[in-house]
């Protein structure tokens, strides 16, 4: 019996080569192109795009956030049979015209990009004055409440293939969009400062990230202990004259400028929103 069991387990653990013969390839169904390229999660997309039948042709708006090494992209998109249609878009490389000239890929830039998208979208719809949102970011949780007349604009968060981790930059964009006056169903559990063990939210931590206080603290530490590394790492800040004590003021002025003129564009960009 022991010999039989040893032979059985040995045969089960043997490596079996997968033979991909003509019969295999004749039945192979190739995945969608964007799935092969690793760009689209079609299961998630189907759930976000599908609309109730009793709502007829009512569009379902998605807040699509994508990040790269040099830019942050936020868009409001609806799906049509012909393809997706972008209703409004904002990019972190637009922030310099609002006064934020450094750190265009950190959490603070993500928040400002989301705020820019929200104010731009509401201005286009004529709802900017009615749904102002949070004029001074505090880190407190906020939900847009419907007022008399037109209801608030609603969108659903589309994270794409990004890892949904607590404190990720994509949730900085989400917070900016919500504070900008757009209603996005959400939970504060993914914002920086949320303690899963205690089940509570430290709003001071979130506010520090919104105004890049963590960047300023790190710069101060490097200036004291490793000045050479500070020169190497934050050369862009040094070249543009932004000191650690000026970072928070820079982002405050950026938020105020976005609210004052959300439709401002770089001179090199001619597309319409």
């Amino acid at each position: 019996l022991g010999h039989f069991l040893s032979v059985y387990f040995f045969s089960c653990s043997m490596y079996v080569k997968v033979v991909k013969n003509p019969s295999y390839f004749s039945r192979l169904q190739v995945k969608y192109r964007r799935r092969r390229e690793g760009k689209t999660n079609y299961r998630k997309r189907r759930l976000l795009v599908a609309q109730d039948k009793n709502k007829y042709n009512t569009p379902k708006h998605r807040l699509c956030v994508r990040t790269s090494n040099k830019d942050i992209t936020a868009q409001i998109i609806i799906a049509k049979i012909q393809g997706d249609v972008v209703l409004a878009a904002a990019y972190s490389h637009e922030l310099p015209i609002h006064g934020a000239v450094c750190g265009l890929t950190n959490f603070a830039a993500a928040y400002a990009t989301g705020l820019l998208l929200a104010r731009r979208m509401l201005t286009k719809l004529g709802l900017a004055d009615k749904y102002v949102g949070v004029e001074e970011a505090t880190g407190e949780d906020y939900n847009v409440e419907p007022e008399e007349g037109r209801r608030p604009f609603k969108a659903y968060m589309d994270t794409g293939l990004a890892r949904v981790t607590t404190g990720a930059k994509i949730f900085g964009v989400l917070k900016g969009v919500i504070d900008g006056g757009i209603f996005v169903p959400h939970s504060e559990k993914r914002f920086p400062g949320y303690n899963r063990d205690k089940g509570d939210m430290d709003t001071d931590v979130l506010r520090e990230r919104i105004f890049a206080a963590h960047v300023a603290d790190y710069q101060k530490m490097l200036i004291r202990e490793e000045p050479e590394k500070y020169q190497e790492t934050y050369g862009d800040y040094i070249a543009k004259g932004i000191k650690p004590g000026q970072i928070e003021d820079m982002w405050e002025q950026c938020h105020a400028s976005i609210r004052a003129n959300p439709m401002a564009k770089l001179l090199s960009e001619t597309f319409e929103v």
Side-chain angles (χ1 to χ4, degrees):
L1 179 61
H3 175 71
F4 171 77
L5 291 176
S6 63
V7 173
Y8 173 75
F9 286 118
F10 177 75
S11 63
C12 290
S13 61
M14 289 178 61
Y15 173 73
V16 180
K17 182 180 180 181
V18 178
V19 180
K20 294 186 177 180
N21 51 28
S23 297
Y24 170 86
F25 286 108
S26 66
R27 292 167 174 79
L28 178 65
Q29 184 173 3
V30 180
K31 297 183 183 297
Y32 292 149
R33 175 181 58 82
R34 290 184 62 85
R35 173 62 187 85
R36 298 198 305 271
E37 295 173 351
K39 293 181 179 180
T40 299
N41 181 340
Y42 278 97
R43 181 176 181 275
K44 182 185 292 186
R45 175 183 169 81
R46 185 176 68 249
L47 296 174
L48 284 169
V49 169
Q51 181 65 288
D52 296 335
K53 293 292 185 182
N54 60 0
K55 294 182 180 178
Y56 302 98
N57 202 29
T58 304
K60 200 170 187 179
H61 301 89
R62 290 180 291 134
L63 167 61
C64 295
V65 182
R66 303 292 183 265
T67 61
S68 66
N69 290 337
K70 295 185 178 180
D71 207 2
I72 298 173
T73 303
Q75 298 171 319
I76 299 293
I77 299 178
I78 60 173
K80 292 188 175 182
I81 295 176
Q82 298 84 355
D84 284 4
V85 177
V86 178
L87 302 181
Y91 306 89
S92 63
H93 68 252
E94 297 179 86
L95 298 179
I97 61 177
H98 296 288
V101 295
C102 300
L104 301 182
T105 55
N106 59 23
F107 192 93
Y111 177 89
T113 303
L115 179 65
L116 177 60
L117 175 66
R119 301 313 301 166
R120 192 170 279 176
M121 187 70 212
L122 294 179
T123 300
K124 183 177 179 180
L125 297 175
L127 294 172
D129 294 333
K130 187 171 185 177
Y131 295 103
V132 179
V134 179
E135 296 193 43
E136 294 184 7
T138 59
E140 298 284 346
D141 192 27
Y142 174 74
N143 284 291
V144 182
E145 298 294 336
E147 298 182 10
E148 186 178 355
R150 296 176 66 182
R151 290 178 294 179
F153 182 81
K154 183 179 182 180
Y156 295 94
M157 182 71 174
D158 183 350
T159 58
L161 295 172
R163 290 187 180 274
V164 184
T165 55
T166 301
K169 289 188 291 187
I170 55 176
F171 298 113
V173 177
L174 172 62
K175 181 60 176 172
V177 169
I178 294 168
D179 286 357
I182 290 180
F183 174 54
V184 183
H186 71 284
S187 170
E188 62 179 6
K189 292 183 179 180
R190 287 303 183 188
F191 293 143
Y194 181 79
N195 190 319
R196 186 173 61 178
D197 297 330
K198 296 181 180 179
D200 61 355
M201 178 72 185
D202 188 351
T203 57
D204 293 335
V205 175
L206 179 55
R207 188 190 181 280
E208 289 178 356
R209 294 299 173 96
I210 291 173
F211 291 103
H214 60 297
V215 177
D217 293 341
Y218 184 63
Q219 288 185 3
K220 292 175 183 177
M221 185 272 291
L222 288 180
I223 291 173
R224 290 194 309 269
E225 301 179 5
E226 299 181 68
E228 293 182 358
K229 186 176 180 180
Y230 171 73
Q231 297 280 342
E232 180 182 350
T233 306
Y234 292 101
D236 193 28
Y237 284 79
I238 297 171
K240 294 175 180 175
I242 304 297
K243 298 180 180 179
Q246 300 173 327
I247 293 178
E248 183 172 342
D249 293 337
M250 179 185 73
W251 288 112
E252 286 181 354
Q253 294 172 7
C254 176
H255 298 168
S257 175
I258 287 172
R259 288 185 173 276
N261 187 13
M263 307 306 284
K265 283 288 184 181
L266 293 175
L267 295 177
S268 60
E269 296 180 350
T270 57
F271 61 86
E272 296 182 357
V273 175

